[in-house]
Amino acid sequence: MGKKILIVDDEPNIVISLEFLMQQGGYDIEIARDGQEALNKLGSFHPDLVLLDVMLPYMDGFEICQAIRQKPDWNHIKVILLTAKGREVDITKGTALGADAYVTKPFATRELVDKVHEMLEAV
Amino acid sequence: MRRALAFWIYFALGFLTFLVLLAGIIALLTMQVEEETRSGLVGYFSSNPALIFVPLILNGLAAFLAFRAFLSDYVLPIRRMTEETNIHAMVNPSHRLKEQGGRQVRRLAVAVNDMADKHEQLQNNFQHRLNEARAKLERENEILTSLVSGLSEGIVVCNLDGQILLYNQRAREYLGSPPQSGGASQIGLNRSVYDSIDRDLIRHGLETLKHRLQQHQHILPHRFAAAGSSGQLLQMQMLPVLDDVKKIDAIVLVIKDVTEQVEIDNRRDLLLTSLNEGLRTSLSHIRAAVETVTDYPAMETKTRDALLGVILGESQHLSGMIDQATLEYAGHFKSRWSMDTVRVNTLLKTLQRLAEDGGIRLEAGEEVPEIWVKVDSYTMTRILSRLMTSIAGDNPDVAVAYSAVRENRLAHLIFQWPGNPLSSEQLKNLRQEFISLEKEQNPFTIQEILDRHDAELWCNPAGSAQLATLNIIFPLVNPPTAESARVTVLDSSRPEFYDFDLFRRQEDIDDDLLSRRLDSLTFTVFDTETTGLDPAGGDEILSIGAVRLVNGRLLRSETFDQLVKPVKPVPRESIEIHGIQPEMLRNQPGIETALPAFHHFCRDTILVAHNAAFDMRFLSLFERNCGVRFDHPVLDTLLLSAVAHPNQDRHNLDAIAERFGVTIIGRHTALGDALVTAEILLKLIPVLISQGIKTLGQAQEASRDTFYARIKY
């Protein structure tokens, strides 16, 4: 069974690339455009990994991350936080809230793909 | 008049009168007797002249002894006692009359001393009350002084003549002191502010302020820039002090060092410009490439690959630019926010107090390590306090435990309590809240303030330990350096930095200096230590010490104290007197540097020294080679003491100090002696004024006339 990735981002311009890249990597993809949609799809789609943008409307990536970690069923889900904020406090907070990796925009697409592979292989 | 001379004149006059009287009596007697008896008598006395001269001489001798006894037992003791009574009354209340002279005079001395005891007691009572009142005033001044000296800005208050009435340590740092000036600064009470700041700048500022005042405009400070003593860029704000008819009486200058700020601004401008250009260029390349690729789908693969390569390369370049900018300038973007470097523990203690005021129990958990953060502590403690209120709102009677840890380059504040965590909904609302301060509302939301601090916060629900946690992280900073601590120490000593009596403008500045009253003058009281007594014979100055006396106040914080390296070695025997060891002089400036610095220190003042003739000879001998001239008016405390109390035998520094009740510290250092001399001058001035010697001219004239002026060195 192919691994599943949930992409949570509200900017279509980056979603196009992310979706394409992950499909090329052989994963099943679902897209969520805000926090609520993300939580719904987490329940229905059962992803193995979430690419989570921090800057989202209504509910930010940190909160979604915290929500994922609070549910024992979702404990195995890998979380990669994507953000344009690269401050040390943000990285520390992301890690403290249970993110597995923190990627700062702009990022090299190849490196992101490699990181996703690596994290899903380890499972 | 000299005492001995006076004695002989009085004696001669008395004896002459006696002779004339005697001759008159004899003449009258001889006229009463007959011719033969008269010639018989004349013949008798002519052949025995001893009969006339022996009684005459004996009589003269008796008269001389009687007169001398009268003089030494009555006249002179009474004269001395008069002066001593004066010394008691005006200078030193514990001074008592020496019992001397005849019995009645001694009794008088005892009686006067009894009265002096009562007088002193009365005066002590009075002095006690006066001291109490003064202490209160002093306390108020202290508050003012510490207020002013605690400011991070420099403050200078001056009157319209540019005379400085008040300043703080920071202003001194900014406007500074030239090197090798004996520690003397350009900034001092009664000094001219124009020594440090261009006169035209101040004049222009005054005109602007006057204009605004005439237009009844709201008084805004006038701003201008000036250079500091070590090349800093200073931003000055000039504010008027108005008198009761709304005329400008004085000005306040608030000085800020903006060198760093301007540098940051420049760098930011540079960054924006370079980003702007860089972004435009790269974007234009990308856009051109993308448009070409889309508009010509049939292009050769080679060209297409080349264009894609351009897009990739330029995008990478853009990413690099942003990374670089964030790395280099991150710290500078928040520069305008006023932040202090604060110990995390201090921040938490303040919070604890605030929370307790609001009825919330906050307890120290694990020990807080010695870490520092840069925060606007007022706003930040209020934000934290607001968070505590939220926690308590959900969990009544809760006790919150606080602690903090160091996490890499971050400070991590941890608040834990048994009960409900703050929900993300609550936190979200809190972030959008405006923090309300005492009077006004802070114009920023909590989130904006957290962003300014580079801070982040989140809440964890109760885990296995059954404790909910609120986390806040800040970037750490280094503890304040020793340099800034030094300033604080200087601030806490309380030098005489203010003198509001100088507010009275000196209208008579153009009048002849000589007709100025003694108590309105500014003096530089100085002393020198030398290798010997003979400047012409090659003796040199080793040390110059001086202190300023302004408006009857000794300014102990405005002193000049400079050792001077002599050309020739210091004679062994002189070291015993001045105590200046040759190794102390090794790194000191020579006279050619020290003398001009001293000259600058005492500009526009009256020079005063004890036995000034001696010091002035040294100064005048060296001044020519140093390119300065000491043409100041000079007063001599030795001569002035002799003028004030001509019947006292001794007028050396120690004797006067003892008579006047001046405590001597550091005698035989130039500065120590200068300080003693200055205190003596302070006490002499009222005595001189009571004797009608009121002006500088009169004091100089009286000095010239006194006996001691004839001593030549």
Side-chain angles (χ1 to χ4, degrees):
Chain A
M1 192 180 84
K3 304 267 177 175
K4 292 188 277 188
I5 296 178
L6 177 64
I7 298 172
V8 188
D9 203 317
D10 63 328
E11 294 203 42
N13 281 353
I14 190 78
V15 170
I16 293 178
S17 305
L18 288 176
E19 187 175 12
F20 179 77
L21 285 169
M22 295 306 143
Q23 275 167 353
Q24 290 301 304
Y27 303 112
D28 287 345
I29 306 299
E30 283 273 340
I31 312 285
R33 278 172 187 81
D34 61 47
Q36 198 48 57
E37 200 183 343
L39 292 179
N40 292 343
K41 292 207 165 158
L42 274 161
S44 57
F45 180 56
H46 303 297
D48 300 290
L49 184 143
V50 184
L51 279 179
L52 187 52
D53 186 32
V54 171
M55 301 285 278
L56 289 173
Y58 315 122
M59 186 177 188
D60 69 25
F62 288 128
E63 285 176 59
I64 299 170
C65 182
Q66 194 171 22
I68 292 173
R69 288 298 169 243
Q70 275 167 20
K71 224 172 140 120
D73 289 354
W74 294 346
N75 238 331
H76 68 283
I77 302 176
K78 300 283 174 188
V79 177
I80 298 181
L81 280 174
L82 294 177
T83 176
K85 281 192 192 177
R87 303 179 306 171
E88 198 176 343
V89 281
D90 298 303
I91 298 170
T92 307
K93 181 177 175 180
T95 314
L97 290 175
D100 298 287
Y102 198 98
V103 176
T104 310
K105 290 178 184 176
F107 49 83
T109 47
R110 185 167 302 278
E111 279 172 35
L112 181 67
V113 172
D114 288 348
K115 187 163 257 167
V116 169
H117 275 309
E118 190 185 303
M119 287 171 70
L120 287 178
E121 287 315 307
V123 173
Chain B
M1 208 184 304
R2 290 171 67 180
R3 253 189 287 162
L5 192 67
F7 171 78
W8 283 112
I9 289 173
Y10 283 129
F11 175 68
L13 281 174
F15 193 59
L16 220 64
T17 318
F18 169 74
L19 284 183
V20 169
L21 278 173
L22 195 70
I25 290 166
I26 292 170
L28 275 172
L29 281 174
T30 40
M31 274 195 281
Q32 305 287 315
V33 297
E34 281 161 30
E35 182 62 35
E36 306 105 77
T37 331
R38 198 187 306 159
S39 53
L41 271 173
V42 171
Y44 177 72
F45 279 116
S46 313
S47 50
N48 294 297
L51 277 179
I52 293 184
F53 289 111
V54 169
L56 254 182
I57 287 167
L58 281 175
N59 193 293
L61 204 64
F64 169 76
L65 288 175
F67 192 74
R68 205 181 60 169
F70 174 68
L71 210 61
S72 66
D73 278 359
Y74 294 92
V75 178
L76 293 179
I78 286 175
R79 272 206 211 161
R80 275 198 287 271
M81 281 164 55
T82 313
E83 277 177 17
E84 286 186 287
T85 312
N86 259 328
I87 290 173
H88 163 79
M90 307 200 57
V91 185
N92 180 11
S94 27
H95 188 80
R96 291 289 179 275
L97 273 53
K98 239 191 273 142
E99 286 174 37
Q100 52 189 329
R103 199 144 46 92
Q104 292 89 335
V105 180
R106 283 169 182 274
R107 269 195 216 145
L108 180 63
V110 172
V112 170
N113 278 342
D114 283 348
M115 202 183 70
D117 288 342
K118 293 214 173 69
H119 178 233
E120 190 183 358
Q121 200 185 351
L122 208 70
Q123 209 173 20
N124 282 346
N125 283 342
F126 175 70
Q127 197 65 39
H128 181 66
R129 290 216 194 123
L130 202 67
N131 285 345
E132 277 179 355
R134 194 176 291 156
K136 201 175 147 215
L137 201 68
E138 198 71 5
R139 180 77 204 115
E140 282 166 11
N141 277 334
E142 249 173 65
I143 292 172
L144 172 76
T145 314
S146 60
L147 200 76
V148 171
S149 54
L151 290 175
S152 62
E153 286 94 357
I155 300 282
V156 173
V157 181
C158 60
N159 66 18
L160 297 188
D161 293 328
Q163 279 177 305
I164 295 172
L165 319 174
L166 174 150
Y167 63 90
N168 65 0
Q169 187 60 34
R170 191 73 66 170
R172 237 182 179 190
E173 272 167 43
Y174 288 159
L175 300 172
S177 58
Q180 298 208 322
S181 56
S185 177
Q186 304 274 20
I187 295 290
L189 287 186
N190 208 17
R191 292 233 187 262
S192 176
V193 76
Y194 303 132
D195 290 342
S196 325
I197 306 171
D198 193 338
R199 188 183 291 260
D200 283 337
L201 285 173
I202 305 254
R203 192 179 296 146
H204 173 75
L206 255 176
E207 275 163 22
T208 314
L209 288 176
K210 275 183 190 153
H211 180 74
R212 282 185 195 155
L213 213 61
Q214 277 163 8
Q215 306 289 308
H216 302 288
Q217 289 177 7
H218 186 63
I219 301 279
L220 290 169
H222 168 68
R223 286 197 173 81
F224 61 94
S229 61
S230 40
Q232 323 93 306
L233 182 64
L234 301 178
Q235 186 197 64
M236 308 255 180
Q237 288 193 41
M238 187 166 163
L239 283 156
V241 177
L242 301 179
D243 64 8
D244 40 10
V245 288
K246 295 258 173 187
K247 275 185 67 184
I248 299 180
D249 197 23
I251 52 171
V252 179
L253 291 169
V254 182
I255 311 163
K256 225 166 138 179
D257 185 352
V258 290
T259 320
E260 205 180 328
Q261 185 59 52
V262 167
E263 212 168 287
I264 290 170
D265 285 354
N266 285 344
R267 282 167 66 107
R268 180 156 35 201
D269 285 353
L270 205 70
L271 169 71
L272 286 178
T273 317
S274 73
L275 270 185
N276 186 26
E277 285 166 10
L279 290 176
R280 271 173 193 283
T281 316
S282 285
L283 275 177
S284 78
H285 297 168
I286 293 172
R287 190 168 164 187
V290 171
E291 284 175 2
T292 315
V293 171
T294 16
D295 288 355
Y296 302 92
M299 73 171 58
E300 284 175 37
T301 323
K302 206 176 131 199
T303 324
R304 190 190 176 86
D305 286 350
L307 285 171
L308 289 175
V310 168
I311 297 170
L312 186 68
E314 291 289 356
S315 319
Q316 280 167 347
H317 179 65
L318 280 177
S319 301
M321 255 167 71
I322 303 280
D323 284 348
Q324 187 65 23
T326 334
L327 208 69
E328 266 186 51
Y329 299 94
H332 296 153
F333 285 113
K334 290 166 289 292
S335 50
R336 283 194 195 282
W337 199 264
S338 73
M339 296 206 198
D340 284 332
T341 304
V342 186
R343 207 183 255 116
V344 168
N345 205 21
T346 314
L347 201 69
L348 288 168
K349 287 275 184 260
T350 314
L351 170 66
Q352 190 176 24
R353 220 189 47 239
L354 271 178
E356 271 166 17
D357 288 349
I360 301 163
R361 261 195 304 148
L362 202 56
E363 288 158 1
E366 275 166 53
E367 198 185 334
V368 177
E370 182 79 3
I371 45 177
W372 299 72
V373 287
K374 202 172 176 85
V375 293
D376 170 358
S377 55
Y378 182 84
T379 315
M380 188 48 71
T381 44
R382 262 119 199 112
I383 288 178
L384 294 176
S385 162
R386 175 70 191 86
L387 289 166
M388 296 306 121
T389 319
S390 282
I391 293 170
D394 278 5
N395 309 278
D397 302 322
V398 74
V400 181
Y402 68 81
S403 60
V405 292
R406 184 194 181 115
E407 213 162 284
N408 294 325
R409 288 183 301 154
L410 299 173
H412 188 165
L413 273 52
I414 302 161
F415 299 90
Q416 291 187 305
W417 65 97
N420 305 320
L422 296 175
S423 70
S424 46
E425 201 60 32
Q426 273 176 305
L427 278 178
K428 191 171 297 172
N429 291 338
L430 273 171
R431 287 169 186 276
Q432 300 314 314
E433 241 180 61
F434 292 93
I435 246 339
S436 54
L437 307 174
E438 294 281 319
K439 285 206 181 84
E440 52 194 313
Q441 214 175 45
N442 193 306
F444 299 100
T445 63
I446 291 182
Q447 181 62 54
E448 280 168 323
I449 295 165
L450 288 174
D451 284 347
R452 292 274 188 174
H453 284 83
D454 257 349
E456 266 296 345
L457 69 86
W458 72 94
C459 202
N460 287 341
S464 51
Q466 302 299 313
L467 291 173
T469 315
L470 176 70
N471 306 274
I472 298 157
I473 47 180
F474 295 96
L476 283 177
V477 295
N478 292 328
T481 56
E483 179 62 20
S484 28
R486 184 186 64 85
V487 174
T488 327
V489 172
L490 270 177
D491 284 348
S492 65
S493 67
R494 185 181 44 82
E496 300 89 345
F497 280 154
Y498 58 90
D499 187 347
F500 287 121
D501 285 347
L502 292 170
F503 256 112
R504 289 177 280 122
R505 280 185 70 187
Q506 285 165 351
E507 308 288 355
D508 52 354
I509 200 91
D510 290 323
D511 286 4
D512 193 0
L513 195 62
L514 292 176
S515 65
R516 288 264 301 274
R517 266 178 71 98
L518 285 173
D519 49 9
S520 75
L521 293 166
T522 300
F523 300 96
T524 302
V525 187
F526 76 105
D527 183 49
T528 57
E529 297 296 328
T530 60
T531 58
L533 302 176
D534 184 11
D539 281 328
E540 297 178 70
I541 295 177
L542 289 178
S543 161
I544 307 174
V547 60
R548 279 156 54 78
L549 218 154
V550 179
N551 261 11
R553 280 186 17 166
L554 191 57
L555 303 182
R556 287 179 191 277
S557 60
E558 294 183 17
T559 56
F560 183 92
D561 190 8
Q562 181 69 62
L563 290 171
V564 185
K565 188 179 179 168
V567 178
K568 281 174 295 195
V570 182
R572 276 274 140 221
E573 59 277 14
S574 76
I575 295 177
E576 271 176 38
I577 297 172
H578 50 64
I580 299 171
Q581 300 293 337
E583 55 268 24
M584 294 161 70
L585 298 167
R586 204 164 294 142
N587 294 320
Q588 299 298 335
I591 190 76
E592 67 289 344
T593 310
L595 210 58
F598 177 59
H599 187 264
H600 188 70
F601 179 79
C602 55
R603 67 195 183 278
D604 305 327
T605 64
I606 316 296
L607 284 179
V608 182
H610 194 74
N611 194 0
F614 175 79
D615 301 282
M616 289 312 291
R617 273 198 63 191
F618 272 93
L619 294 190
S620 62
L621 216 86
F622 290 105
E623 65 181 11
R624 222 164 309 139
N625 295 336
C626 300
V628 291
R629 241 175 82 77
F630 287 90
D631 49 5
H632 313 67
V634 177
L635 285 178
D636 184 344
T637 43
L638 177 94
L639 297 181
L640 291 177
S641 168
V643 167
H645 302 120
N647 292 300
Q648 302 302 318
D649 295 327
R650 287 155 53 234
H651 294 284
N652 61 42
L653 209 53
D654 290 314
I656 305 176
E658 192 196 329
R659 208 156 47 229
F660 285 10
V662 173
T663 328
I664 295 179
I665 324 158
R667 180 89 167 80
H668 282 307
T669 66
L671 184 59
D673 280 3
L675 283 166
V676 173
T677 312
E679 290 205 38
I680 287 173
L681 178 67
L682 264 182
K683 299 206 168 192
L684 270 172
I685 288 174
V687 179
L688 291 169
I689 287 176
S690 76
Q691 294 180 354
I693 300 167
K694 289 177 181 151
T695 66
L696 176 63
Q698 287 167 338
Q700 285 192 321
E701 205 173 316
S703 302
R704 262 195 297 275
D705 291 345
T706 159
F707 165 70
Y708 288 93
R710 292 179 207 161
I711 296 176
K712 286 268 191 279
Y713 287 90

